[in-house]
Amino acid sequence: MRVHVILLFCAYVSGQEPGPPPPLPAANEALVEQYKLALEAVFGVGIRLQAFLEGEERENFLVSPISATVILGQLILGAEGEFRKQLVELLALPKGHLYENENYYEKKKNVTFQLPYSTLHLQLASLVKKLEAANDTKKHFTLKQKSALFIDHSVKLNKTFKMNLQNFYNTKIKMFDFQNKQTEALSWINTWVSNNTRGLITSILPEPPSPTTLSIFANYIYFKADWELPFSHELNRDGLFSVTTTETIPVTYMLNFLEQIPYFESPEFRLISIPYVDQELGMYLILPNNDNPHKYDIKTFAQNLKSRQILDSLNQTRRKDVVVKIPKMSLRYSFSLLNQLKKYRAFKKTNIKINSTNVVDKLDDRVDAFNNFTKVDEKDVFLTGAALGAGLRVDDMIQQVAITVNEKGTEAAAVTAATIDYMGGSKNFVVDRPFIFFIRHEASGATLFWGTVSKPK
């Protein structure tokens, strides 16, 4: 028996007419406290997945930590025993705040029952709804998330598992005959994906699912936002992006003079945030300094960049006028989360000691220990609490990303040679070599997307 777990999400960035920038928003302390466990889980997944995939020879790395956390949260509902505990540890949740089972009161049925880590599910589900509710009424900012379970008609789900999927994650459950009607299932699932991601991801299944498939978990996040201070296609120019000291690739650069945006510089790197409309969200760019030995090896740079450094730099940003030059990007990325989960299970068996007590520093210690760990646990992964009669085996967990960054959401037909390379009193931020970016919700600090880019095409 097998379970396919598929994570779907895409991002699309465009621009609108400029206006005076409002004061930069500060984190809402009450909101952060309200979603503390969920936010720590999302942050932990984003940091760890970067390390888990270090061994893969890829030019770019893209992930949605919040989408991955939603899927892992759903797996926790169907997992039992040691595997459930490993999922919780993967999410970097502090043990002192959670118990393996907690009492949960179901209002609709007026019943109380034991639920694994109900605090996590309540906060994570509420956080996602909060982000969706922040959608701008003028359509300048859209964030949508949906989950689905496509399941073979022969499977009898555990009633509690089914109820919790629907209550917490609003999961759509649709029955299929995977044994005899794989082509029909392929068409329906890929159409569901394409429709919900506005065609940015046209398919997730390259071929009909195996006749032995029993269920497919799917989650997508669709994000579209307009820049607070838009770029103009009239300022675009063709140029070269330095992949290494000897290799360059042609790109189209976008230029803009951005007033009073968050800016930070240190001996190792510089950071800016390009705000979206109403500054509900921001795209953060981290660029290694010119004298950094890993300025072209962005994977090693990211590996050495501690999460504490990132958090401290965000707290130390100041508003500056910045001339920004960044490449237009259209990127796609897909990877198996299950392989990394199996590596994590094998890693746990080595009993590597972690000395730090602070949550953030402990994350860094574990990432450092994991970076050179390549062994894979070959044992099957089962969701023993998900179905009646037999445990469902997790066959794969796939996350696919599509992200487009441009001026207004459409390709420009004409490019002029206008320049704004320097304006008096401003900082210059020229992204012409490998860089890190992440998109986060400012009020809560939730990380929606994280990536390292070596080739922005």
Side-chain angles (χ1 to χ4, degrees), residues 60 238-244 246-253 287 295-296 298 325-329 430-435 453-457:
N60 303 315
D238 293 333
L240 296 176
F241 185 93
S242 297
V243 178
T244 67
T246 58
E247 180 187 0
T248 60
I249 58 172
V251 298
T252 297
Y253 283 105
L287 186 68
K295 68 178 181 180
Y296 294 112
I298 198 65
K325 179 180 176 182
I326 61 174
K328 293 178 65 171
M329 297 186 294
V430 179
V431 183
D432 59 359
R433 59 176 185 271
F435 61 96
V453 180
S454 296
K455 286 189 176 182
K457 296 195 73 173

Side-chain angles (χ1 to χ4, degrees), residues 311-330:
L311 293 176
D312 288 346
S313 67
L314 297 181
N315 293 331
Q316 296 176 46
T317 57
R318 296 293 182 267
R319 286 182 288 182
K320 300 286 186 181
D321 293 340
V322 184
V323 174
V324 176
K325 179 180 176 182
I326 61 174
K328 293 178 65 171
M329 297 186 294
S330 184

Side-chain angles (χ1 to χ4, degrees), residues 120-187:
L120 166 66
H121 302 301
L122 284 166
Q123 289 192 12
L124 184 58
S126 182
L127 174 62
V128 171
K129 291 177 182 177
K130 178 71 176 179
L131 294 173
E132 289 182 311
N135 287 334
D136 180 66
T137 56
K138 297 179 182 178
K139 303 302 180 183
H140 295 317
F141 158 46
T142 302
L143 178 66
K144 294 183 178 180
Q145 181 273 158
K146 284 187 180 180
S147 293
L149 171 58
F150 307 118
I151 192 163
D152 190 82
H153 61 79
S154 65
V155 177
K156 294 183 179 180
L157 288 179
N158 179 295
K159 290 184 179 179
T160 302
F161 174 70
K162 180 178 179 180
M163 180 179 66
N164 288 334
L165 280 182
Q166 294 173 325
N167 286 348
F168 289 109
Y169 300 106
N170 195 26
T171 302
K172 175 185 180 65
I173 299 177
K174 182 173 177 60
M175 310 297 291
F176 286 102
D177 181 358
F178 286 120
Q179 184 173 1
N180 300 303
K181 297 182 179 180
Q182 302 101 307
T183 302
E184 179 182 312
L186 172 72
S187 175

Side-chain angles (χ1 to χ4, degrees), residues 43 264 269 271 306-318 360-361:
F43 182 76
F264 170 80
F269 63 88
L271 173 148
K306 303 298 183 183
S307 49
R308 172 64 64 188
Q309 289 177 274
I310 298 175
L311 293 176
D312 288 346
S313 67
L314 297 181
N315 293 331
Q316 296 176 46
T317 57
R318 296 293 182 267
V360 175
D361 293 338

